[in-house]
């Protein structure tokens, strides 16, 4: 492309450097994009701090809104068949879907054995722009991407991948239906998004958190009830409060998005007999908690854990935002913009947040 770009390279825990590389031409089937904005996701904080189980270094960033700079040969549409052209805003899935491994062959592409083949690699490896913390991002032929619908604000669209896509996939996995009660543990980005999605499914929603600002925001995202962990300061007290809100039964569905291991054990107490439990927040192996499997079994609880999402949920997320971006304050989940030069400050800001997070504008 006869131009250079910059990217943020993690050399080790909390050690980020900016590097400059020539922007590559796209291979057939690939797309070179310019990054419009890239959000600091919770997973990014795990990687930056050295806590991620698989990624220790490499180019940072995975949640971004991009603009098509150059299309590789044969690329005429996005993965939904919509015509695509240079200058269009697009949302790429951050992981690969190879179509060759056993998991893809069994119809479970979110479990693709080669999902991280392109993500967070060393920047010296071609095509260099492996993550979205940079001026450009290279979308490989085995990465789904979708054109952003007209009318979806940029700040809103950037959150489609990964929080909203993850939540939509999870809510489908536990088959939330109208008039059910859904308890959401945690009112960060995933929890607030889950409240909005469950509300649109016709469920009654209960959000648990210990930060006043998060609980206030949960109501803006459709929560019918909130439970303050400072007021209900024991597991028994919170479980009783859920039963009080559900005629003594307990919730039909619980969703864990705190990333705190003890929350998983607590979730069993929040559910009714025969309830379903969606675990998405605890993604770092080795963090353990005491757990009573007998209590789970005697209540016949079904547990569904979810890592990544089937890539077409990214299109579903964009459609959801197109329909509902005026109904919920998705743009308020991002409270501050940083330049690429200030990437470390953006990570530090997001790590210290009580409610919102940062976005990078290269």
């Amino acid at each position: 492309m006869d131009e250079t770009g910059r990217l943020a390279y993690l050399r080790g825990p909390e050690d980020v450097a900016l590097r400059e590389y020539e922007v590559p031409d796209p291979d057939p089937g690939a797309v070179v994009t310019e990054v419009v904005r890239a959000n600091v996701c919770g997973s990014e904080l795990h990687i930056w701090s050295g806590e991620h189980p698989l990624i220790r270094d490499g180019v940072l960033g995975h949640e971004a809104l991009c603009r098509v700079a150059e299309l590789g040969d044969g690329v005429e549409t996005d993965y939904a068949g919509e015509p695509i052209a240079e200058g269009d805003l697009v949302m790429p899935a951050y992981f690969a879907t190879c179509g060759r491994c056993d998991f893809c062959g069994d119809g479970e592409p979110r479990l693709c054995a080669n999902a991280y083949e392109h993500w967070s690699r060393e920047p010296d490896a071609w095509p260099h722009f492996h993550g979205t913390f940079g001026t450009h991002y290279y979308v490989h032929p085995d990465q789904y991407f979708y054109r952003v619908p007209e009318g979806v604000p940029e700040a809103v669209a950037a959150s489609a991948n990964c929080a909203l896509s993850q939540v939509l996939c999870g809510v489908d996995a536990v088959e939330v239906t109208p008039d059910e009660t859904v308890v959401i543990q945690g009112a960060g980005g995933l929890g607030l998004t889950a409240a909005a999605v469950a509300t649109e499914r016709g469920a009654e929603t209960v959000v648990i958190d210990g930060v006043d600002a998060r609980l206030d925001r949960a109501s803006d995202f459709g929560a019918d009830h909130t439970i303050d962990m400072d007021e209900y300061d024991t597991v028994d007290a919170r479980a009783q409060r859920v039963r009080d809100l559900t005629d003594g039964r307990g919730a039909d569905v619980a969703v864990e998005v705190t990333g705190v291991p003890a929350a998983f054990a607590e979730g069993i107490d929040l559910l009714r007999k025969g309830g379903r439990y969606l675990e998405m927040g605890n993604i770092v192996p080795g963090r353990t908690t005491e757990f009573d499997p007998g209590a789970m079994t005697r209540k016949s609880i079904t547990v569904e854990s979810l890592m990544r999402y089937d890539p077409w949920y990214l299109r579903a997320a964009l459609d959801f935002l197109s329909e509902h971006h005026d109904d919920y304050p998705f743009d308020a989940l991002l409270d501050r913009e940083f330049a690429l030069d200030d990437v470390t400050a953006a990570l530090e800001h997001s790590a210290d947040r009580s409610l919102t997070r940062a976005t990078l504008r290269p």
Side-chain angles (χ1 to χ4, degrees), residues 16-265:
V16 182
L18 295 180
R19 295 279 184 88
E20 188 172 287
Y21 293 90
E22 182 177 344
V23 179
D25 294 324
D27 277 346
V31 181
V32 172
T33 70
E34 298 171 347
V35 177
V36 176
R37 60 167 67 225
N39 297 342
V40 179
C41 177
S43 296
E44 222 65 57
L45 298 175
H46 288 306
I47 295 169
W48 173 63
S49 64
E51 297 176 341
H52 196 280
L54 300 176
I55 301 171
R56 299 298 181 186
D57 54 21
V59 183
L60 287 170
H62 70 284
E63 182 176 304
L65 175 68
C66 302
R67 191 182 306 276
V68 175
E70 186 174 350
L71 298 169
D73 289 346
V75 181
E76 298 179 352
T77 67
D78 68 6
Y79 270 73
E82 296 288 337
I84 199 76
E86 292 180 7
D88 284 344
L89 291 175
V90 294
M91 183 66 57
Y94 67 91
F95 52 88
T97 306
C98 74
R100 305 183 307 274
C101 70
D102 289 343
F103 298 105
C104 287
D106 289 341
E108 298 180 301
R110 64 181 174 83
L111 303 178
C112 177
N114 301 299
Y116 295 158
E117 183 177 6
H118 311 305
W119 184 31
S120 293
R121 297 173 61 201
E122 293 280 337
D124 286 344
W126 190 92
H128 314 301
F129 297 88
H130 311 299
T132 58
F133 284 9
T135 57
H136 297 77
Y137 181 61
Y138 190 94
V139 183
H140 292 262
D142 54 4
Q143 283 179 265
Y144 279 59
F145 73 93
Y146 296 99
R147 184 164 61 84
V148 176
E150 296 289 337
V152 178
E154 290 183 2
V156 172
S159 296
N161 171 34
C162 58
L164 181 53
S165 301
Q166 190 71 53
V167 166
L168 286 168
C169 186
V171 167
D172 278 352
V174 291
E175 300 180 342
V176 173
T177 59
D179 300 323
E180 289 193 309
T181 300
V182 177
V183 170
I184 299 162
Q185 298 169 276
L190 279 169
L192 296 175
T193 301
V197 170
T199 296
E200 292 304 319
R201 296 292 174 92
E204 183 176 8
T205 54
V206 182
V207 175
I208 303 174
D209 204 283
V211 178
D212 289 342
R214 290 186 180 216
L215 293 171
D216 291 341
R217 185 55 55 79
S219 297
D220 297 334
F221 277 82
D224 296 293
H225 312 280
T226 59
I227 297 176
D228 186 343
M229 295 180 69
D230 289 335
E231 179 180 358
Y232 299 90
D233 58 359
T234 67
V235 173
D236 287 343
R238 291 188 287 275
Q240 183 59 54
R241 179 57 179 154
V242 171
R243 288 192 291 271
D244 290 344
L245 293 170
T246 56
D247 297 325
R249 284 166 47 89
D252 300 291
V253 176
V255 180
E256 191 289 301
V257 284
T258 67
V260 177
F264 176 76

Side-chain angles (χ1 to χ4, degrees), residues 275-306:
R276 290 105 67 202
Y277 197 12
L278 175 62
E279 168 58 63
M280 296 192 297
N282 284 288
I283 64 170
V284 179
R287 294 180 175 179
T288 62
T289 187
E290 291 187 4
F291 178 70
D292 184 352
M296 178 184 69
T297 302
R298 292 197 66 83
K299 293 178 75 174
S300 297
I301 302 299
T302 299
V303 178
E304 181 82 34
S305 61
L306 203 66

Side-chain angles (χ1 to χ4, degrees), residues 5-9 16-20 60 132-135 336-348 359-362:
R6 297 192 303 155
L7 53 81
Y9 166 45
V16 182
L18 295 180
R19 295 279 184 88
E20 188 172 287
L60 287 170
T132 58
F133 284 9
T135 57
R336 187 172 171 185
E337 295 183 356
F338 290 83
L340 184 60
D341 287 331
D342 300 319
V343 59
T344 296
L347 289 159
E348 291 172 344
T359 187
L360 290 168
R361 295 295 298 267

